[in-house]
Amino acid sequence: MPVKPVFEAVINHVSILDEHGNFDSELGDGLIPDADVVAMYKHMLVCRHFDEIAFKLQRSGRMGTYPENRGQEAASLGAAYALEQNDWMVTCYRENAGLFWRGLPKEKILLHWMGDERGNNLDGLRMTPLAIAIGSQMLHATGLAWASKYKGEDSIACTFFGDGATSEGDFHEAANFAASLSLPVVFVCQNNGWAISTPSSVESAAPTFAQRGLAYGMECVQVDGNDLFAMVKVTRDAAKRAREQNKPTFIEAVTYRLGDHTTADDARRYRDQEELDMWMKRDPVIRLRQWLESRDLWSEEQEAHAKAEAEKEIAMVVKNAEEIDAPASSEFFDNMFVELTPELKKQRQTMRTSSIGQNPSQVDVKQSEGAIK
Ligand SMILES: Cc1ncc(C[n+]2csc(CCOP(=O)(O)OP(=O)(O)O)c2C)c(N)n1
Ligand SMILES: [Mg+2]
């Protein structure tokens, strides 16, 4: 037969708890201990409140631009829950829920968006600063996983990015290296339907984003990203594959951002109210609460108590972020590289002298070093 298929593929969609409350016991029973589901639900309430307060801080001129995470909490939280303590979490900017779950102090996110570089100082945490340059972080994840494999460690890297980011060359390079060098990376694409005002249908003509990983020889799966259980399941499977076989996986988490792209955006100008209304009903927080209530694991009183606790906690987080001592002006050089490049070293050393009118290239770097400490 001169013509025969050489490759065929199927992309599976995984859902355990759907928006109507249907729960797949076969996949879901025993997946997460009840106490952990309760803890993660409370955590989602805290994250939702954090989001609301961060939005208000921007609107009242107390913080710079902020990207709301509202609606996408289950995707990063479920994935973060499935990772081991020493795994790397390499994110963009809609993963607060997962980062907080893994121990990122909440003040750090506020400081970041307040323009204070200390928000990016993550010493001791296996996570990288929020990547605002779209797609750049996936390369870092591949590099971290490569380092882990090279050193014989058992940690893996889990990276998060949007649907739009898969159109960046960085994604394709990171994916190709990860698959062809057999590196322990989990790629989690949060497909929220939009890249600012560009709908995903314009970003890609393919029926799924998951299949983008196929081209590189990766395992690929699509999952309901608003389903905490399904996120835990697919990430756990992918993490196991990475750890035990050094094989990367591409996970497409189908979700939706319920807010604007950032506080600098007004999504009403490009998306329909009906679309938003439909996704409001698929809200991961509502879904999880219904599941907990149906099992007598949650009550109205617990809800009120948890919300009051969340308000207290976030008020303290805001206070800590706003009352921190002003940073030294040279601190914005300090948290990106372990060792500064020669150019940055020079900029750091000459920033004061050049700001008062001296040409940095004419400043004796060694002499000025002491003055700017
Ligand atoms: C390299 C680069 N190009 C363009 C931008 C401007 N930009 C910021 S967010 C964004 C869209 C990202 O969409 P997606 O990856 O789907 O993530 P989402 O914001 O939807 O979570 C763009 C184009 C950027 N930050 N970096
Ligand atoms: Mg998007």
Side-chain angles (χ1 to χ4, degrees):
M1 192 166 59
V3 178
K4 57 179 193 227
V6 289
F7 177 69
E8 283 175 33
V10 172
I11 303 284
N12 288 318
H13 178 93
V14 179
S15 155
I16 296 179
L17 175 63
D18 74 13
E19 76 236 57
H20 308 295
N22 300 315
F23 184 76
D24 186 280
S25 305
E26 206 175 308
L27 288 179
D29 279 353
L31 188 68
I32 315 175
D34 286 350
D36 287 359
V37 184
V38 171
M40 282 196 273
Y41 175 71
K42 280 196 209 165
H43 183 77
M44 279 161 75
L45 290 183
V46 173
C47 293
R48 195 52 73 90
H49 186 63
F50 176 95
D51 225 39
E52 192 186 323
I53 295 298
F55 181 85
K56 288 181 178 165
L57 287 175
Q58 190 281 336
R59 284 292 188 262
S60 54
R62 290 153 70 189
M63 195 168 77
T65 309
Y66 177 74
E68 281 180 276
N69 284 210
R70 188 158 48 99
Q72 297 189 210
E73 294 89 346
S76 70
L77 178 57
Y81 176 80
L83 299 176
E84 297 293 333
Q85 202 53 43
N86 65 343
D87 291 338
W88 284 95
M89 197 162 156
V90 184
T91 74
C92 45
Y93 43 79
R94 272 189 236 283
E95 288 83 22
N96 289 348
L99 291 170
F100 293 157
W101 181 261
R102 290 176 60 81
L104 178 68
K106 299 183 180 67
E107 290 88 311
K108 295 274 184 188
I109 295 288
L110 294 185
L111 288 172
H112 171 96
W113 295 109
M114 285 172 175
D116 187 325
E117 282 296 322
R118 288 170 296 184
N120 294 335
N121 181 349
L122 309 178
D123 274 356
L125 293 164
R126 303 280 275 185
M127 47 185 75
T128 49
L130 311 191
I132 308 301
I134 296 297
S136 52
Q137 75 279 14
M138 297 177 256
L139 289 162
H140 301 157
T142 295
L144 286 162
W146 197 354
S148 171
K149 183 179 174 185
Y150 181 74
K151 291 178 179 168
E153 294 174 356
D154 75 344
S155 59
I156 66 164
C158 181
T159 183
F160 297 79
F161 48 95
D163 38 277
T166 64
S167 298
E168 292 279 354
D170 288 2
F171 159 69
H172 298 277
E173 290 161 24
N176 194 39
F177 268 99
S180 53
L181 297 178
S182 292
L183 303 177
V185 191
V186 178
F187 290 88
V188 180
C189 174
Q190 290 209 59
N191 174 9
N192 62 7
W194 294 89
I196 314 184
S197 55
T198 305
S200 50
S201 56
V202 173
E203 290 159 30
S204 167
T208 70
F209 278 86
Q211 71 202 73
R212 294 207 161 192
L214 279 179
Y216 300 103
M218 271 189 233
E219 290 287 327
C220 302
V221 65
Q222 189 187 66
V223 58
D224 181 343
N226 287 3
D227 173 351
L228 186 75
F229 292 92
M231 279 307 303
V232 170
K233 159 90 183 124
V234 298
T235 314
R236 199 174 269 168
D237 291 349
K240 188 171 188 300
R241 189 176 300 119
R243 212 178 309 279
E244 292 176 4
Q245 302 169 44
N246 277 319
K247 286 210 164 112
T249 301
F250 187 106
I251 297 171
E252 175 191 356
V254 181
T255 182
Y256 197 78
R257 66 168 157 79
L258 295 176
D260 295 329
H261 170 69
T262 66
T263 47
D265 175 47
D266 178 0
R268 287 171 302 181
R269 295 175 65 144
Y270 54 81
R271 68 180 185 188
D272 295 335
Q273 186 62 39
E274 297 94 77
E275 181 179 299
L276 183 59
D277 291 344
M278 183 179 76
W279 280 96
M280 288 280 202
K281 294 190 192 123
R282 299 179 183 163
D283 185 329
V285 175
I286 297 174
R287 194 182 302 189
L288 201 57
R289 181 178 174 179
Q290 284 168 347
W291 185 88
L292 288 169
E293 285 176 345
S294 72
R295 281 162 174 73
D296 282 335
L297 293 167
W298 196 248
S299 65
E300 200 60 63
E301 298 74 56
Q302 280 170 295
E303 178 83 8
H305 181 70
K307 283 188 167 160
E309 289 296 307
E311 279 174 28
K312 261 194 264 170
E313 181 188 345
I314 302 306
M316 190 52 74
V317 168
V318 172
K319 188 170 149 57
N320 291 343
E322 291 195 319
E323 293 184 358
I324 190 170
D325 291 338
S329 51
S330 56
E331 269 183 38
F332 64 79
F333 288 103
D334 292 346
N335 300 314
M336 185 56 78
F337 298 101
V338 171
E339 210 172 294
L340 285 181
T341 61
E343 293 79 15
L344 288 175
K345 227 178 232 174
K346 191 165 186 182
Q347 284 180 25
R348 189 185 196 283
Q349 288 167 338
T350 57
M351 62 180 290
R352 290 217 183 136
T353 47
S354 66
S355 70
I356 55 173
Q358 282 177 268
N359 182 341
S361 66
Q362 289 168 0
V363 172
D364 181 333
V365 166
K366 282 207 177 74
Q367 275 180 22
S368 67
E369 198 167 7
I372 52 116
K373 279 263 158 85

